[in-house]
Amino acid sequence: MAFPAKNEKNEGLDLLSAVFLLSGPLLLIDPDGRVKSLNGAFVKLLGYSAAGAPFSKFCRNERSAASFLESLAREGRASEYLDLSSVDGSVIPARVSASKAGEGFAVAFDDLRGKKALEEELKSVKDELKRRTDYQEDFREGVFHMLRDLDSSERELETAYEKLKETQAQLIQSSKMTALGELAAGVAHELNQPLTVIKGLSHNILRNFDASSAPYEKLRLIAEASEKMELVIRHLKIFSRTDGPALSPVDLNRVIKDAFVIAKEVLANSSIKVKMSLSEIPPVLGSPNRLEQVVINLVTNARDAMPKGGTLEISTGIVERGKARLVQMCFRDSGCGIPKSLIGRIFDPFFTTKDIGKGTGLGLSISYGIIKEHHGDITVESETCKGTVFHVTLPPLT
Ligand code: ADP
């Protein structure tokens, strides 16, 4: 190992000698770039110990070494990152800084291997961090999608539940109807015989009494009551009929007009104004008699809902239900309306709000049964004190 010689012209060299001993890897090179001296740290770094070698010998890339020396000569100082080449051929990245020292230059080396390793470690930590952040982001996105799917499944479930409830209600309604139909058929059959006797005899005996006599009034009441009972039995018979109706193409406008031969009588003593607006509609497949029965029932109910008079609007038309086109009849009255608490029960058999003897509670359940037989639907909308509208929809004959 060689030390810089004491030089009278440059006292800085004494200081340099001290720095040489204490500092990191150092070289002294002459203006041509040849090594004048090197210190122990340099020998330890690269393994070269002989002076006289060109600076480029320690660099992996000769061009980089030449450019470094050029800027050093030009500027009097230089500092660059260079890849050094050690005696055993390994490459050592270093920051190389040089400045003027006497005639030549002092060159210091900062071994960057530790820094590089740290940088690489830092990079791998950063990469890992990014990987985890990306994963978290994906995870969050996944959770977000899951929540959205969950939300829409919940909505689907709610819709399905509503449909199920509706189907269940329909099922209950139709099983109630079947059971009551059987019961009604039995009751009607059992009552018919004695009733015919009561009615016949009461009318018979009535003829033997003077209208002003005391028994006459009582007998008249018996005869009247038996007629009301006959009406109930007639209703029961229609209600319990299980044989399907004879079906033929039916014009609902015709059905309404025919039903009004009787319905006119129903409305005779009322001050109800009837407004009809019958549109051109396709025929339906049905039983005219049964459909007339529905019209009469709805008109009778409208009359009863308007004891002080009002308006009954009857209309026909075509409505769209999803992809289906249906024929519709509407009966809108300006009557008392149906309280919300009762509207769910009006199609139940024997449900009536009318006085005893005035209502059988079978009109709507019979109408419901008839419309269902025709593969149609009957629905109601009502507001207390404002009125009620019944919509009857039936599939057109195709
Ligand atoms: P009923 O007429 O013999 O009572 P329905 O089955 O025809 O039997 O009707 C059941 C009940 O529905 C009626 O008692 C009445 O409370 C209600 N209702 C039916 N139609 C109307 C209407 N247009 N306006 C108000 N209430 C009505």
Side-chain angles (χ1 to χ4, degrees), residues 209-232:
F209 284 92
D210 187 74
S212 57
S213 65
Y216 183 90
E217 186 51 22
K218 286 178 187 152
L219 275 168
R220 198 188 59 77
L221 287 175
I222 294 173
E224 210 178 277
S226 64
E227 268 157 26
K228 277 181 190 154
M229 277 176 74
E230 199 179 30
L231 179 77
V232 173

PDB file of all heavy atoms in Angstrom, residues 209-232:
ATOM      1  N   PHE A 209    -158.670 -15.564   4.927  1.00  0.00           N
ATOM      2  CA  PHE A 209    -158.830 -14.512   5.934  1.00  0.00           C
ATOM      3  C   PHE A 209    -159.057 -13.160   5.289  1.00  0.00           C
ATOM      4  O   PHE A 209    -158.545 -12.896   4.197  1.00  0.00           O
ATOM      5  CB  PHE A 209    -157.594 -14.438   6.844  1.00  0.00           C
ATOM      6  CG  PHE A 209    -157.537 -15.549   7.849  1.00  0.00           C
ATOM      7  CD1 PHE A 209    -156.857 -16.730   7.558  1.00  0.00           C
ATOM      8  CD2 PHE A 209    -158.181 -15.441   9.088  1.00  0.00           C
ATOM      9  CE1 PHE A 209    -156.798 -17.769   8.475  1.00  0.00           C
ATOM     10  CE2 PHE A 209    -158.126 -16.483   9.999  1.00  0.00           C
ATOM     11  CZ  PHE A 209    -157.430 -17.638   9.695  1.00  0.00           C
ATOM     12  N   ASP A 210    -159.784 -12.378   6.012  1.00  0.00           N
ATOM     13  CA  ASP A 210    -160.020 -11.017   5.564  1.00  0.00           C
ATOM     14  C   ASP A 210    -158.762 -10.187   5.860  1.00  0.00           C
ATOM     15  O   ASP A 210    -158.105 -10.387   6.879  1.00  0.00           O
ATOM     16  CB  ASP A 210    -161.215 -10.453   6.360  1.00  0.00           C
ATOM     17  CG  ASP A 210    -161.598  -9.110   5.801  1.00  0.00           C
ATOM     18  OD1 ASP A 210    -162.189  -9.090   4.705  1.00  0.00           O
ATOM     19  OD2 ASP A 210    -161.242  -8.081   6.449  1.00  0.00           O
ATOM     20  N   ALA A 211    -158.443  -9.282   4.955  1.00  0.00           N
ATOM     21  CA  ALA A 211    -157.210  -8.494   5.113  1.00  0.00           C
ATOM     22  C   ALA A 211    -157.181  -7.694   6.404  1.00  0.00           C
ATOM     23  O   ALA A 211    -156.097  -7.360   6.912  1.00  0.00           O
ATOM     24  CB  ALA A 211    -157.025  -7.578   3.917  1.00  0.00           C
ATOM     25  N   SER A 212    -158.325  -7.391   6.943  1.00  0.00           N
ATOM     26  CA  SER A 212    -158.339  -6.565   8.158  1.00  0.00           C
ATOM     27  C   SER A 212    -158.269  -7.416   9.430  1.00  0.00           C
ATOM     28  O   SER A 212    -158.130  -6.915  10.537  1.00  0.00           O
ATOM     29  CB  SER A 212    -159.596  -5.693   8.185  1.00  0.00           C
ATOM     30  OG  SER A 212    -160.713  -6.549   8.092  1.00  0.00           O
ATOM     31  N   SER A 213    -158.382  -8.743   9.267  1.00  0.00           N
ATOM     32  CA  SER A 213    -158.373  -9.599  10.467  1.00  0.00           C
ATOM     33  C   SER A 213    -156.960  -9.742  11.043  1.00  0.00           C
ATOM     34  O   SER A 213    -155.962  -9.598  10.326  1.00  0.00           O
ATOM     35  CB  SER A 213    -158.945 -10.976  10.124  1.00  0.00           C
ATOM     36  OG  SER A 213    -158.082 -11.594   9.197  1.00  0.00           O
ATOM     37  N   ALA A 214    -156.930 -10.074  12.346  1.00  0.00           N
ATOM     38  CA  ALA A 214    -155.635 -10.148  13.048  1.00  0.00           C
ATOM     39  C   ALA A 214    -154.711 -11.240  12.497  1.00  0.00           C
ATOM     40  O   ALA A 214    -153.521 -10.983  12.259  1.00  0.00           O
ATOM     41  CB  ALA A 214    -155.875 -10.351  14.545  1.00  0.00           C
ATOM     42  N   PRO A 215    -155.231 -12.474  12.238  1.00  0.00           N
ATOM     43  CA  PRO A 215    -154.293 -13.514  11.743  1.00  0.00           C
ATOM     44  C   PRO A 215    -153.728 -13.194  10.351  1.00  0.00           C
ATOM     45  O   PRO A 215    -152.650 -13.659   9.996  1.00  0.00           O
ATOM     46  CB  PRO A 215    -155.146 -14.784  11.685  1.00  0.00           C
ATOM     47  CG  PRO A 215    -156.393 -14.470  12.425  1.00  0.00           C
ATOM     48  CD  PRO A 215    -156.585 -13.006  12.412  1.00  0.00           C
ATOM     49  N   TYR A 216    -154.487 -12.386   9.567  1.00  0.00           N
ATOM     50  CA  TYR A 216    -154.055 -12.088   8.197  1.00  0.00           C
ATOM     51  C   TYR A 216    -152.640 -11.483   8.169  1.00  0.00           C
ATOM     52  O   TYR A 216    -151.770 -11.926   7.411  1.00  0.00           O
ATOM     53  CB  TYR A 216    -155.047 -11.123   7.523  1.00  0.00           C
ATOM     54  CG  TYR A 216    -154.688 -10.838   6.067  1.00  0.00           C
ATOM     55  CD1 TYR A 216    -155.193 -11.637   5.042  1.00  0.00           C
ATOM     56  CD2 TYR A 216    -153.830  -9.791   5.736  1.00  0.00           C
ATOM     57  CE1 TYR A 216    -154.849 -11.402   3.732  1.00  0.00           C
ATOM     58  CE2 TYR A 216    -153.474  -9.553   4.418  1.00  0.00           C
ATOM     59  CZ  TYR A 216    -153.993 -10.347   3.409  1.00  0.00           C
ATOM     60  OH  TYR A 216    -153.649 -10.111   2.112  1.00  0.00           O
ATOM     61  N   GLU A 217    -152.436 -10.464   9.010  1.00  0.00           N
ATOM     62  CA  GLU A 217    -151.138  -9.762   9.025  1.00  0.00           C
ATOM     63  C   GLU A 217    -149.997 -10.729   9.367  1.00  0.00           C
ATOM     64  O   GLU A 217    -148.938 -10.731   8.755  1.00  0.00           O
ATOM     65  CB  GLU A 217    -151.209  -8.588  10.023  1.00  0.00           C
ATOM     66  CG  GLU A 217    -149.985  -7.688  10.052  1.00  0.00           C
ATOM     67  CD  GLU A 217    -149.564  -7.186   8.672  1.00  0.00           C
ATOM     68  OE1 GLU A 217    -150.396  -7.154   7.731  1.00  0.00           O
ATOM     69  OE2 GLU A 217    -148.352  -6.860   8.510  1.00  0.00           O
ATOM     70  N   LYS A 218    -150.263 -11.597  10.393  1.00  0.00           N
ATOM     71  CA  LYS A 218    -149.234 -12.555  10.805  1.00  0.00           C
ATOM     72  C   LYS A 218    -148.931 -13.532   9.678  1.00  0.00           C
ATOM     73  O   LYS A 218    -147.770 -13.844   9.381  1.00  0.00           O
ATOM     74  CB  LYS A 218    -149.675 -13.306  12.065  1.00  0.00           C
ATOM     75  CG  LYS A 218    -149.599 -12.423  13.296  1.00  0.00           C
ATOM     76  CD  LYS A 218    -150.082 -13.139  14.523  1.00  0.00           C
ATOM     77  CE  LYS A 218    -150.144 -12.146  15.677  1.00  0.00           C
ATOM     78  NZ  LYS A 218    -151.144 -12.497  16.656  1.00  0.00           N
ATOM     79  N   LEU A 219    -150.035 -14.013   9.032  1.00  0.00           N
ATOM     80  CA  LEU A 219    -149.832 -14.963   7.921  1.00  0.00           C
ATOM     81  C   LEU A 219    -149.094 -14.308   6.751  1.00  0.00           C
ATOM     82  O   LEU A 219    -148.265 -14.930   6.094  1.00  0.00           O
ATOM     83  CB  LEU A 219    -151.194 -15.474   7.440  1.00  0.00           C
ATOM     84  CG  LEU A 219    -151.751 -16.660   8.230  1.00  0.00           C
ATOM     85  CD1 LEU A 219    -153.204 -16.902   7.870  1.00  0.00           C
ATOM     86  CD2 LEU A 219    -150.920 -17.918   7.951  1.00  0.00           C
ATOM     87  N   ARG A 220    -149.413 -13.007   6.529  1.00  0.00           N
ATOM     88  CA  ARG A 220    -148.736 -12.271   5.434  1.00  0.00           C
ATOM     89  C   ARG A 220    -147.226 -12.201   5.695  1.00  0.00           C
ATOM     90  O   ARG A 220    -146.403 -12.393   4.811  1.00  0.00           O
ATOM     91  CB  ARG A 220    -149.321 -10.861   5.325  1.00  0.00           C
ATOM     92  CG  ARG A 220    -149.015 -10.193   3.969  1.00  0.00           C
ATOM     93  CD  ARG A 220    -149.428  -8.752   3.955  1.00  0.00           C
ATOM     94  NE  ARG A 220    -148.769  -7.962   4.990  1.00  0.00           N
ATOM     95  CZ  ARG A 220    -147.520  -7.539   4.916  1.00  0.00           C
ATOM     96  NH1 ARG A 220    -146.781  -7.799   3.853  1.00  0.00           N
ATOM     97  NH2 ARG A 220    -146.983  -6.847   5.912  1.00  0.00           N
ATOM     98  N   LEU A 221    -146.895 -11.971   6.968  1.00  0.00           N
ATOM     99  CA  LEU A 221    -145.476 -11.907   7.344  1.00  0.00           C
ATOM    100  C   LEU A 221    -144.785 -13.253   7.104  1.00  0.00           C
ATOM    101  O   LEU A 221    -143.652 -13.313   6.615  1.00  0.00           O
ATOM    102  CB  LEU A 221    -145.315 -11.476   8.808  1.00  0.00           C
ATOM    103  CG  LEU A 221    -145.598  -9.997   9.092  1.00  0.00           C
ATOM    104  CD1 LEU A 221    -145.539  -9.716  10.584  1.00  0.00           C
ATOM    105  CD2 LEU A 221    -144.604  -9.108   8.349  1.00  0.00           C
ATOM    106  N   ILE A 222    -145.549 -14.344   7.449  1.00  0.00           N
ATOM    107  CA  ILE A 222    -144.981 -15.697   7.224  1.00  0.00           C
ATOM    108  C   ILE A 222    -144.752 -15.913   5.726  1.00  0.00           C
ATOM    109  O   ILE A 222    -143.692 -16.381   5.296  1.00  0.00           O
ATOM    110  CB  ILE A 222    -145.910 -16.805   7.798  1.00  0.00           C
ATOM    111  CG1 ILE A 222    -145.979 -16.698   9.322  1.00  0.00           C
ATOM    112  CG2 ILE A 222    -145.420 -18.203   7.393  1.00  0.00           C
ATOM    113  CD1 ILE A 222    -147.003 -17.631   9.974  1.00  0.00           C
ATOM    114  N   ALA A 223    -145.733 -15.518   4.915  1.00  0.00           N
ATOM    115  CA  ALA A 223    -145.628 -15.704   3.458  1.00  0.00           C
ATOM    116  C   ALA A 223    -144.456 -14.889   2.892  1.00  0.00           C
ATOM    117  O   ALA A 223    -143.675 -15.382   2.072  1.00  0.00           O
ATOM    118  CB  ALA A 223    -146.934 -15.291   2.781  1.00  0.00           C
ATOM    119  N   GLU A 224    -144.307 -13.665   3.405  1.00  0.00           N
ATOM    120  CA  GLU A 224    -143.227 -12.788   2.926  1.00  0.00           C
ATOM    121  C   GLU A 224    -141.856 -13.355   3.316  1.00  0.00           C
ATOM    122  O   GLU A 224    -140.923 -13.400   2.502  1.00  0.00           O
ATOM    123  CB  GLU A 224    -143.413 -11.411   3.553  1.00  0.00           C
ATOM    124  CG  GLU A 224    -142.889 -10.279   2.684  1.00  0.00           C
ATOM    125  CD  GLU A 224    -143.171  -8.953   3.366  1.00  0.00           C
ATOM    126  OE1 GLU A 224    -144.295  -8.451   3.222  1.00  0.00           O
ATOM    127  OE2 GLU A 224    -142.264  -8.449   4.067  1.00  0.00           O
ATOM    128  N   ALA A 225    -141.799 -13.851   4.572  1.00  0.00           N
ATOM    129  CA  ALA A 225    -140.532 -14.424   5.053  1.00  0.00           C
ATOM    130  C   ALA A 225    -140.172 -15.656   4.225  1.00  0.00           C
ATOM    131  O   ALA A 225    -139.003 -15.870   3.877  1.00  0.00           O
ATOM    132  CB  ALA A 225    -140.644 -14.787   6.528  1.00  0.00           C
ATOM    133  N   SER A 226    -141.176 -16.447   3.869  1.00  0.00           N
ATOM    134  CA  SER A 226    -140.877 -17.663   3.095  1.00  0.00           C
ATOM    135  C   SER A 226    -140.387 -17.294   1.690  1.00  0.00           C
ATOM    136  O   SER A 226    -139.549 -17.986   1.116  1.00  0.00           O
ATOM    137  CB  SER A 226    -142.092 -18.594   3.039  1.00  0.00           C
ATOM    138  OG  SER A 226    -143.135 -17.955   2.339  1.00  0.00           O
ATOM    139  N   GLU A 227    -140.874 -16.157   1.155  1.00  0.00           N
ATOM    140  CA  GLU A 227    -140.383 -15.718  -0.157  1.00  0.00           C
ATOM    141  C   GLU A 227    -138.921 -15.291  -0.080  1.00  0.00           C
ATOM    142  O   GLU A 227    -138.122 -15.584  -0.965  1.00  0.00           O
ATOM    143  CB  GLU A 227    -141.251 -14.573  -0.688  1.00  0.00           C
ATOM    144  CG  GLU A 227    -142.374 -15.116  -1.560  1.00  0.00           C
ATOM    145  CD  GLU A 227    -143.546 -14.161  -1.658  1.00  0.00           C
ATOM    146  OE1 GLU A 227    -143.350 -12.937  -1.505  1.00  0.00           O
ATOM    147  OE2 GLU A 227    -144.676 -14.659  -1.875  1.00  0.00           O
ATOM    148  N   LYS A 228    -138.593 -14.602   1.041  1.00  0.00           N
ATOM    149  CA  LYS A 228    -137.194 -14.196   1.219  1.00  0.00           C
ATOM    150  C   LYS A 228    -136.300 -15.430   1.345  1.00  0.00           C
ATOM    151  O   LYS A 228    -135.207 -15.501   0.789  1.00  0.00           O
ATOM    152  CB  LYS A 228    -137.050 -13.311   2.455  1.00  0.00           C
ATOM    153  CG  LYS A 228    -137.385 -11.850   2.154  1.00  0.00           C
ATOM    154  CD  LYS A 228    -137.235 -10.972   3.352  1.00  0.00           C
ATOM    155  CE  LYS A 228    -137.816  -9.587   3.082  1.00  0.00           C
ATOM    156  NZ  LYS A 228    -138.243  -8.924   4.298  1.00  0.00           N
ATOM    157  N   MET A 229    -136.832 -16.416   2.062  1.00  0.00           N
ATOM    158  CA  MET A 229    -136.054 -17.651   2.225  1.00  0.00           C
ATOM    159  C   MET A 229    -135.864 -18.352   0.885  1.00  0.00           C
ATOM    160  O   MET A 229    -134.817 -18.925   0.607  1.00  0.00           O
ATOM    161  CB  MET A 229    -136.750 -18.597   3.212  1.00  0.00           C
ATOM    162  CG  MET A 229    -136.429 -18.243   4.651  1.00  0.00           C
ATOM    163  SD  MET A 229    -137.347 -19.277   5.766  1.00  0.00           S
ATOM    164  CE  MET A 229    -136.480 -20.812   5.609  1.00  0.00           C
ATOM    165  N   GLU A 230    -136.892 -18.260   0.069  1.00  0.00           N
ATOM    166  CA  GLU A 230    -136.800 -18.870  -1.266  1.00  0.00           C
ATOM    167  C   GLU A 230    -135.672 -18.215  -2.070  1.00  0.00           C
ATOM    168  O   GLU A 230    -134.914 -18.888  -2.768  1.00  0.00           O
ATOM    169  CB  GLU A 230    -138.138 -18.688  -1.982  1.00  0.00           C
ATOM    170  CG  GLU A 230    -138.302 -19.649  -3.119  1.00  0.00           C
ATOM    171  CD  GLU A 230    -139.657 -19.466  -3.798  1.00  0.00           C
ATOM    172  OE1 GLU A 230    -140.184 -18.333  -3.799  1.00  0.00           O
ATOM    173  OE2 GLU A 230    -140.186 -20.465  -4.311  1.00  0.00           O
ATOM    174  N   LEU A 231    -135.567 -16.877  -1.907  1.00  0.00           N
ATOM    175  CA  LEU A 231    -134.505 -16.138  -2.600  1.00  0.00           C
ATOM    176  C   LEU A 231    -133.122 -16.627  -2.134  1.00  0.00           C
ATOM    177  O   LEU A 231    -132.219 -16.869  -2.945  1.00  0.00           O
ATOM    178  CB  LEU A 231    -134.664 -14.626  -2.311  1.00  0.00           C
ATOM    179  CG  LEU A 231    -133.625 -13.734  -2.953  1.00  0.00           C
ATOM    180  CD1 LEU A 231    -133.922 -13.555  -4.439  1.00  0.00           C
ATOM    181  CD2 LEU A 231    -133.596 -12.362  -2.277  1.00  0.00           C
ATOM    182  N   VAL A 232    -133.028 -16.808  -0.804  1.00  0.00           N
ATOM    183  CA  VAL A 232    -131.748 -17.285  -0.255  1.00  0.00           C
ATOM    184  C   VAL A 232    -131.428 -18.666  -0.820  1.00  0.00           C
ATOM    185  O   VAL A 232    -130.301 -18.936  -1.251  1.00  0.00           O
ATOM    186  CB  VAL A 232    -131.808 -17.340   1.299  1.00  0.00           C
ATOM    187  CG1 VAL A 232    -130.561 -17.993   1.867  1.00  0.00           C
ATOM    188  CG2 VAL A 232    -131.970 -15.946   1.872  1.00  0.00           C
TER     189      VAL A 232
END
